[in-house]
Amino acid sequence: MATLQYTGVFALLIAEIFVFILLILPMPTRWKRAMITWSSRSVAAQRVLYAVRIAFGFILLLFCDAVMRLRKVQQDKHKARLVDEHALCQMKVQQFYAQRNTYLTGITMFLGLILISTHSLIAQLVAGDGTGSASSTPRLATSGPGSSKAENERLKGQLADVRKELEELKKKDRDMETLKKQADSSHKEYMRLADECEGLRKKLGAASESKKDA
């Protein structure tokens, strides 16, 4: 009877591994959404989940029983001083079966909790993707003539600002050209005055020399 129970636990563990691989398997979002929706709304899936929860209760009892048996075997092993090889082998077999049952039931419960958490997380992600795509559709639908008009007005305002900046830059360029021309004319006038001053100095020097010779 106990072997039949643990055989059922092992079968449930294999089913959990299969479902977990199916959940994490890369597939299109549409397929995964359909699978999650079916598992969340199907009556058959809900009945299966209900039966699995009841099975988890029995597995928890089996886990506690396996832990108690393992502790009992270990205590008996420490207390008894077995010399007979047959009795020692029987004790080791009991310890092996107790450890196997403990690990089997514990891993089954642990993987079941992971499976439930993974299913809930994937369901939330798929629901979020569906909500995002549904909300993007009305946003695209509302982008009609009204939004195009507002966009055109905004672009016109930006274009006017750019034209105003260009006009200011052109005005600054004209001012710079005017200043450059004034600087060039001032430089030419300065050079002309410098040449005249140099000519006057030469004439004055020549006149003073002629007076000294006379």
Side-chain angles (χ1 to χ4, degrees):
M1 183 66 180
T3 304
L4 182 62
Q5 293 174 355
Y6 289 112
T7 303
V9 174
F10 180 72
L12 182 60
L13 177 61
I14 297 299
E16 288 178 353
I17 294 173
F18 176 75
V19 174
F20 185 75
I21 293 175
L22 191 63
L23 285 176
I24 65 175
L25 194 68
M27 64 177 64
T29 308
R30 183 180 60 184
W31 295 359
K32 188 165 290 188
R33 184 185 294 113
M35 183 178 65
I36 296 297
T37 304
W38 178 83
S39 63
S40 300
R41 298 179 181 177
S42 174
V43 179
Q46 294 297 324
R47 290 178 179 177
V48 171
L49 289 176
Y50 182 73
V52 169
R53 290 173 183 173
I54 296 176
F56 277 166
F58 287 107
I59 293 173
L60 180 60
L61 295 177
L62 290 175
F63 176 75
C64 296
D65 180 67
V67 171
M68 292 175 64
R69 287 179 181 272
L70 180 60
R71 291 185 61 184
K72 183 179 179 182
V73 171
Q74 290 177 350
Q75 289 175 1
D76 293 342
K77 184 178 179 181
H78 287 299
K79 290 179 180 179
R81 296 182 179 273
L82 299 178
V83 181
D84 186 9
E85 292 292 336
H86 180 71
L88 183 61
C89 182
Q90 188 71 21
M91 183 73 68
K92 288 183 178 180
V93 169
Q94 292 178 0
Q95 184 179 4
F96 168 74
Y97 281 123
Q99 290 176 348
R100 183 204 65 178
N101 297 336
T102 303
Y103 297 149
L104 179 62
T105 53
I107 292 174
T108 303
M109 287 192 302
F110 181 71
L111 185 59
L113 293 176
I114 294 177
L115 187 61
I116 293 172
S117 301
T118 305
H119 181 273
S120 301
L121 182 61
I122 294 177
Q124 291 176 3
L125 291 175
V126 171
D129 292 340
T131 305
S133 60
S135 61
S136 62
T137 303
R139 190 181 298 115
L140 292 174
T142 53
S143 59
S147 59
S148 300
K149 185 177 180 181
E151 185 69 19
N152 290 332
E153 293 295 331
R154 186 177 65 83
L155 292 175
K156 286 180 181 180
Q158 292 181 354
L159 184 60
D161 294 336
V162 171
R163 286 178 179 176
K164 186 177 179 180
E165 291 178 358
L166 287 175
E167 290 295 331
E168 292 179 356
L169 290 175
K170 288 180 181 180
K171 185 178 179 181
K172 290 180 180 179
D173 290 338
R174 288 194 294 268
D175 294 338
M176 289 295 294
E177 290 293 333
T178 303
L179 290 174
K180 189 181 291 186
K181 290 179 181 179
Q182 290 178 357
D184 290 338
S185 62
S186 298
H187 180 68
K188 291 178 180 179
E189 184 67 22
Y190 173 77
M191 295 301 295
R192 186 181 66 78
L193 293 175
D195 293 338
E196 291 180 358
C197 184
E198 187 64 27
L200 289 175
R201 286 179 181 176
K202 289 180 179 180
K203 288 180 181 180
L204 290 174
S208 59
E209 290 292 332
S210 61
K211 286 181 179 179
K212 288 180 181 178
D213 292 338

